[in-house]
Amino acid sequence: MSIKRYGTVQKGAGGKPLPFARAVEADGWLYVSGQVAMENGEIIDGNIVAQTHKTIENVLAILKEAGYGVEHVVRCGVWLDDPRDFWTFNSIYQQYFGEHPPARACVQSSMMVDCKVEIDCVAFKPKDR
């Protein structure tokens, strides 16, 4: 089994290096690290709508880079800063995952950075043998 890491040289808020890969692929499984509404190392301004779109777009960009699509996502983990954002978040999430809904956990949590939502995922695609 081989292991491939994506995005190991990335920077977060304040230009500080992040000590983890954006994603790691092993034997057809892709584990995408928690993504937030970050662009150029900074959290974007905006409400739950803007931040949810950006966060999901960041997840999808990593999936695409690794050769996976939304149809390969088997599980997502979601952290919301404010539980009152749950229904708004769900309506946006469904726009992206509606035809291919993965298993999901969604919890309310204080965030490590000043964001409203964080999403990680696990995807699977059989490798050509």
Side-chain angles (χ1 to χ4, degrees):
M1 174 176 70
S2 65
I3 295 175
K4 183 174 182 181
R5 290 171 172 79
Y6 295 88
T8 56
V9 182
Q10 57 183 339
K11 298 204 187 265
K16 299 206 185 277
L18 298 175
F20 55 86
R22 286 189 334 241
V24 176
E25 183 178 17
D27 206 24
W29 292 94
L30 183 71
Y31 299 87
V32 178
S33 293
Q35 299 298 303
V36 295
M38 190 172 285
E39 187 173 284
N40 300 320
E42 299 294 332
I43 302 296
I44 65 166
D45 289 330
N47 60 14
I48 189 64
V49 173
Q51 287 204 10
T52 298
H53 280 292
K54 182 62 179 170
T55 299
I56 293 173
E57 289 165 7
N58 287 346
V59 168
L60 295 179
I62 294 167
L63 289 168
K64 182 177 179 182
E65 177 184 348
Y68 291 72
V70 70
E71 69 276 12
H72 299 114
V73 177
V74 295
R75 184 191 183 281
C76 285
V78 177
W79 294 264
L80 295 175
D81 183 56
D82 187 337
R84 294 172 294 187
D85 290 335
F86 180 73
W87 295 109
T88 302
F89 169 82
N90 263 351
S91 66
I92 297 164
Y93 180 92
Q94 186 174 14
Q95 293 171 25
Y96 292 91
F97 293 99
E99 292 183 28
H100 306 285
R104 188 183 91 181
C106 184
V107 298
Q108 187 261 331
S109 177
S110 296
M111 301 296 188
M112 298 306 294
V113 295
D114 189 19
C115 66
K116 298 181 183 316
V117 60
E118 181 170 346
I119 302 171
D120 73 358
C121 75
V122 177
F124 177 75
K125 184 173 72 169
K127 291 295 178 189
D128 297 332
R129 298 212 190 289

